[in-house]
Amino acid sequence: MGDEANILLIEDNPGDVRLVEEAFRDGQINNRLHTVTDGRAALDFLHREDGYEDAPRPDVVLLDLNLPKVDGEDVLHEIKHHPELGHVPVIVLTGVDEQLIESRDLDHDADEDAVLEKPIDHGEFIDVVREFDEFRISIVRSHN
């Protein structure tokens, strides 16, 4: 149980949520997947407010940029500028071309972040998440 990553999925499309859940199951990735469906709920989860007071700190965030209530770019900005979350890797899930994403100022310059274009390729998605999971586990082990 202690080696499970807490992964926060911020995605409003139920079909995409299902695809992510299937990819994790098929890839046999050890994790606890927490899902919120809009930007406001994401911020509440991250700040442990409004019903999310016991929420764990995520080890990895999977973030759709096109969200209701609070835009995904604002959520990304909040994560990267939060003193306790700035180090958390973010995998941006988007239907927008990756070059367009990189041309915007999304605070997306951290080495540990990635952009995956929708529709998500099952194998590529599993590989990227495993990479982050191994990175997180290696950090945990190096501190022991």
Side-chain angles (χ1 to χ4, degrees), residues 1-31:
M1 224 34 163
D3 277 347
E4 286 187 348
N6 282 299
I7 299 177
L8 176 59
L9 172 61
I10 307 168
E11 171 64 67
D12 64 318
N13 182 319
D16 288 338
V17 169
R18 209 169 22 260
L19 285 173
V20 169
E21 290 170 344
E22 288 172 10
F24 276 85
R25 192 170 40 254
D26 294 349
Q28 298 179 342
I29 298 168
N30 287 335
N31 62 72

Side-chain angles (χ1 to χ4, degrees), residues 19 40 75 97 110 116:
L19 285 173
R40 178 74 259 151
V75 173
D97 183 282
L116 289 179

Side-chain angles (χ1 to χ4, degrees), residues 9 23 29 68 73 75 83 88 119 125-126 128 132 134 138 141:
L9 172 61
I29 298 168
E73 291 181 34
V75 173
V88 173
F125 178 73
I126 290 170
V128 169
F132 285 114
E134 288 168 12
S138 69
R141 287 187 182 141

Side-chain angles (χ1 to χ4, degrees), residues 76-90:
L76 179 61
H77 180 83
E78 183 70 23
I79 292 169
K80 291 303 170 184
H81 290 88
H82 189 283
E84 294 177 35
L85 298 171
H87 69 284
V88 173
V90 176

Side-chain angles (χ1 to χ4, degrees), residues 6 13 15 20 32 36-37 42 55 90 93 105 114 124 128 132 137:
N6 282 299
N13 182 319
V20 169
R32 292 192 62 220
V36 294
T37 57
V90 176
L93 308 174
D105 181 22
E124 179 187 4
V128 169
F132 285 114
I137 289 169

